[in-house]
Amino acid sequence: MRRRKELTEDELRINKKKISDEEAYEAFFKDCYLRNLRPATIEYYKYEFHGAKKIINKGNENFRERY
């Protein structure tokens, strides 16, 4: 599939939806399974997402303490 520089109407509709982080996480990994990615790749993504989530949450806590 070739990359495009523009989003389709369907992609724009999805982009405007308000979903939680957990819903986005689940949708991403469902897509990974549907695309038949290797289990090791999916585990790597899960590990990296978990680490990023910790950093983001820690940053939010620091922000709240300051303000």
Side-chain angles (χ1 to χ4, degrees), residues 2-17:
R2 188 167 179 222
R3 288 183 173 239
R4 305 174 311 260
K5 293 183 180 179
E6 302 172 352
L7 296 175
T8 65
E9 290 297 320
D10 290 336
E11 292 167 333
L12 288 171
R13 265 196 303 275
I14 291 169
N15 194 26
K16 291 178 183 176
K17 280 185 183 177

Side-chain angles (χ1 to χ4, degrees), residues 2-61:
R2 188 167 179 222
R3 288 183 173 239
R4 305 174 311 260
K5 293 183 180 179
E6 302 172 352
L7 296 175
T8 65
E9 290 297 320
D10 290 336
E11 292 167 333
L12 288 171
R13 265 196 303 275
I14 291 169
N15 194 26
K16 291 178 183 176
K17 280 185 183 177
K18 303 293 181 201
I19 63 173
S20 70
D21 291 341
E22 288 302 316
E23 290 171 324
Y25 180 82
E26 288 176 21
F28 176 79
F29 285 105
K30 181 179 178 184
D31 181 64
C32 288
Y33 286 111
L34 292 174
R35 290 189 292 135
N36 202 26
L37 294 182
R38 289 181 23 220
T41 301
I42 295 171
E43 287 304 312
Y44 172 78
Y45 288 165
K46 285 182 179 181
Y47 178 78
E48 292 298 318
F49 271 118
H50 182 70
K53 193 174 177 181
K54 283 174 121 177
I55 292 170
I56 290 169
N57 288 339
K58 188 173 184 176
N60 286 341
E61 290 172 10

